[in-house]
Amino acid sequence: MATPPGGQRPPRRRSALRRYTGPPSYPSVPRWGFPQVAWRWPLALPNRTRVDPAERVQSLSATATSVLWTTAGLAGVATAAELWRYALLLRSRNEALSRSLLAFSDALVITAGMLTWVVGMLSGVAVVLWALRARACAAARAGVRPARSDAEFVAGVLVPGLNLFVPGSALAELEHTALVPEHVRDPGTRPKPSWLVRLWWSAWAASVVLGWVTFLWGFTEGVQALANGVVLHAWTNAAVVVLAVVTIRVVKYLTRLLVPVDTTAIPRLRVLGVRGAPTPPRPERSAVAPR
C-alpha cells in the first residue's frame, strides 16, 4: 500500500458549524478592496491615435448632405404653403373662405417656416464645420497656410455685409488649394472659381438678400403689403431650396477632391455593349488542301 511522503497524516477534525450572525462590521471603512470608480469595459476608452483629416472631412460631408436634403424638402413644403396662402388671398377677393381652411393654411405656413429655419441653421452649422475641416485638410495636403484664420472665416459667414463676399471667396480658395496637389493649379496664382462655385456664390448671395428684404418687409402695413410679403416669403423659400441643392453638389465635389477614392470599394465594371465603333476586321482563313 502506497503512503504519502512523511508518513500517514492524522485525519482533520471538522469544526463545528457556526450560526450566521449577519454581515461583518468594522469600526472604520476598510482600506482594502477595489477602488471606488465606475466599472467599464476594457475597450470602452477612446483611442488616442491621430484621426486622418480626410476621414473627418468625409464624415462631416455625409452629415451636411443629410441635413441639407432635409432643409431642401422643408423649404419646398414652405414654398408650396406660401403659394397656397397667396391663392387663398386671391380667392378671398370674390368669396368668403371657411375658418378651418384658413386655420390649416396658417398652421402649415408657420410650421413649415419654423422647421425650415431651425433645420436650416443646423445645416449651416454642419456646412461651416465641414468647411473648416476641409480648409485644414487642403492646406495640409498642399503644404500652404489658409489665407484666413478659422475665426475670420466664421466671422465672415455671420457678419451681415461680409457674408455676401467672404463665403464665396473662401470657397474659391478652398477649391484652388484642393487642386494644387493634383498639379492643376499653381499655389502662387490667383484662384479662379469653377462654374459650380460661382453658381453657389450667386445662390448664396440671392438667398441672403431675399432673406433680409423679406424680414424688413414684415414691418410694412396694408393689405397689398401683406400680399407682397407672401410672395417674398415664397421666393425666399424657393431660394433656400436652390441653395441647399447647390451646396450638396459643392460639398460632394470638394470632398472628392480632398478624399482619395478607394479603388478596392469600387465595384467591377462589365462591358454590356459598344455603340458607334467600327467593326473589327476578321482575319482571313487559310485554305486547307483536301486530303
Side-chain angles (χ1 to χ4, degrees):
M1 183 177 66
T3 58
Q8 189 71 21
R9 296 180 181 178
R12 296 181 179 180
R13 297 181 179 180
R14 296 182 178 180
S15 58
L17 297 177
R18 297 180 180 180
R19 185 178 180 182
Y20 178 72
T21 58
S25 59
Y26 303 93
S28 60
V29 179
R31 297 184 179 273
W32 52 268
F34 295 102
Q36 297 180 0
V37 295
W39 184 87
R40 63 185 66 184
W41 289 99
L43 300 179
L45 295 177
N47 191 5
R48 298 299 181 182
T49 57
R50 185 176 179 270
V51 182
D52 188 8
E55 295 181 359
R56 293 183 177 180
V57 173
Q58 191 172 14
S59 61
L60 285 174
S61 67
T63 304
T65 301
S66 302
V67 184
L68 284 170
W69 276 123
T70 306
T71 303
L74 291 174
V77 175
T79 304
E82 294 290 348
L83 293 177
W84 186 31
R85 170 181 277 187
Y86 188 76
L88 293 178
L89 289 175
L90 294 179
R91 285 180 54 187
S92 63
R93 296 185 303 176
N94 301 325
E95 58 179 314
L97 303 179
S98 61
R99 184 176 181 180
S100 59
L101 183 62
L102 295 176
F104 180 76
S105 176
D106 292 340
L108 181 61
V109 169
I110 295 174
T111 304
M114 291 299 297
L115 289 178
T116 302
W117 188 84
V118 173
V119 181
M121 293 295 294
L122 294 177
S123 63
V125 172
V127 172
V128 168
L129 292 177
W130 168 85
L132 292 176
R133 296 297 185 184
R135 291 171 73 248
C137 180
R141 290 176 68 245
V144 297
R145 186 176 59 182
R148 297 179 179 86
S149 62
D150 294 344
E152 293 175 352
F153 173 73
V154 175
V157 175
L158 298 178
V159 176
L162 292 178
N163 55 5
L164 293 176
F165 308 100
V166 173
S169 60
L171 204 62
E173 294 170 358
L174 173 59
E175 181 190 26
H176 181 83
T177 309
L179 291 174
V180 167
E182 306 296 335
H183 303 286
V184 179
R185 301 283 178 86
D186 185 6
T189 59
R190 185 180 181 85
K192 294 182 179 180
S194 60
W195 67 270
L196 185 58
V197 175
R198 294 179 182 177
L199 179 62
W200 181 89
W201 200 343
S202 302
W204 166 259
S207 62
V208 171
V209 172
L210 281 174
W212 277 108
V213 171
T214 305
F215 174 74
L216 297 176
W217 193 268
F219 295 98
T220 59
E221 299 179 356
V223 179
Q224 187 61 37
L226 178 62
N228 295 337
V230 174
V231 175
L232 284 175
H233 277 88
W235 277 108
T236 303
N237 293 327
V240 171
V241 175
V242 175
L243 177 62
V245 175
V246 177
T247 305
I248 292 172
R249 292 286 306 275
V250 171
V251 169
K252 290 184 177 181
Y253 162 65
L254 293 178
T255 302
R256 285 195 301 266
L257 293 179
L258 295 174
V259 181
V261 179
D262 188 6
T263 56
T264 60
I266 300 177
R268 295 182 179 179
L269 303 179
R270 295 183 302 170
V271 178
L272 300 179
V274 179
R275 298 180 181 178
T279 305
R282 296 183 178 181
E284 298 181 358
R285 296 182 180 181
S286 60
V288 181
R291 294 180 181 179

